[in-house]
Amino acid sequence: MSRNLLSIIVIVSIVVVNVNGRYVVKKNRIKILYPYGIMPEEHDAAVADFGIPLDGGAMVGSVMYSQKNSHACKPFDAFEKDEQPFGSNSTRPIILLVDRGNCFFTLKVYYGMQAGAAAVLVADDRYEPLKTLESPKEIFYEDRYIDKIKIPSALIDRAFGETLKAALQKGEEDVVLKLYWSDLMPN
């Protein structure tokens, strides 16, 4: 009898750990305000576990993307003088679009913040469910830059990233997004 009871306790413990140990991804919403006609109009984004999300708020800004520093793994002031990393004269806050890969998410966001971005969106390079942008677990990061990140950032899926890049390549219109943190929801 005690052996059966022990087996039941072990099985229940495994089930409870698996249910409670689920990884939670906090998502916010992004709405394309301009140009009109880009479908779908609203998208999910996975909020980073570093930086400062605008809990309960929203931000409207112009999307910018740098061809020469698309991964944002080096400071934006390291460009040749004729390169305009953000390429827009918009008076709206800058929402920097960068590609995933080649360096830590935190470094991408830090360099974007240093260049004047109000938020950073990291476009995934794979077709996969959204994941939280995480701080590196290693403690060797240089100059403790992670602690200096004061802007929000999020991971967007590959298809949405490609849609934004295609709209930016047309170069005729500003690409304007609204980022919502008012409906943060764990998934």
Side-chain angles (χ1 to χ4, degrees):
M1 182 83 111
S2 66
R3 189 174 204 163
N4 287 342
L5 181 60
L6 181 61
S7 297
I8 291 171
I9 291 172
V10 168
I11 290 170
V12 168
S13 297
I14 291 171
V15 169
V16 169
V17 167
N18 284 336
V19 168
N20 289 331
R22 280 181 48 195
Y23 187 73
V24 176
V25 177
K26 281 188 175 180
K27 293 184 179 178
N28 67 319
R29 300 289 295 161
I30 299 175
K31 183 174 183 176
I32 300 170
L33 298 179
Y34 192 80
Y36 306 110
I38 297 179
M39 298 307 253
E41 210 173 76
E42 288 202 352
H43 299 268
D44 282 331
V47 178
D49 73 352
F50 55 87
I52 301 176
L54 302 174
D55 288 334
M59 172 192 297
V60 173
S62 296
V63 179
M64 304 298 157
Y65 179 75
S66 171
Q67 292 284 343
K68 291 188 179 181
N69 193 10
S70 65
H71 287 94
C73 292
K74 59 185 176 182
F76 284 92
D77 60 2
F79 290 106
E80 297 141 20
K81 293 186 182 198
D82 62 336
E83 218 284 315
Q84 293 293 322
F86 300 121
S88 173
N89 296 325
S90 176
T91 58
R92 290 183 197 90
I94 295 168
I95 300 172
L96 178 63
L97 175 64
V98 300
D99 294 323
R100 182 178 179 174
N102 298 346
C103 64
F104 291 130
F105 296 129
T106 52
L107 191 60
K108 297 170 185 298
V109 176
Y110 179 72
Y111 286 149
M113 182 186 75
Q114 292 298 306
V120 174
L121 298 179
V122 179
D124 205 342
D125 59 353
R126 306 164 200 159
Y127 292 105
E128 64 184 2
L130 291 172
K131 304 180 211 185
T132 298
L133 296 179
E134 295 181 335
S135 301
K137 303 297 182 227
E138 296 82 3
I139 58 171
F140 63 84
Y141 51 88
E142 117 187 28
D143 194 30
R144 302 201 47 90
Y145 68 87
I146 294 172
D147 299 334
K148 297 175 184 176
I149 297 172
K150 305 294 182 211
I151 63 172
S153 57
L155 179 70
I156 60 173
D157 66 42
R158 182 176 177 169
F160 184 35
E162 289 172 357
T163 297
L164 291 175
K165 289 178 207 173
L168 289 167
Q169 282 181 339
K170 290 182 181 177
E172 301 165 8
E173 306 174 89
D174 217 5
V175 176
V176 181
L177 301 179
K178 184 170 187 177
L179 306 169
Y180 295 93
W181 289 272
S182 56
D183 57 348
L184 278 178
M185 59 180 58
N187 289 320

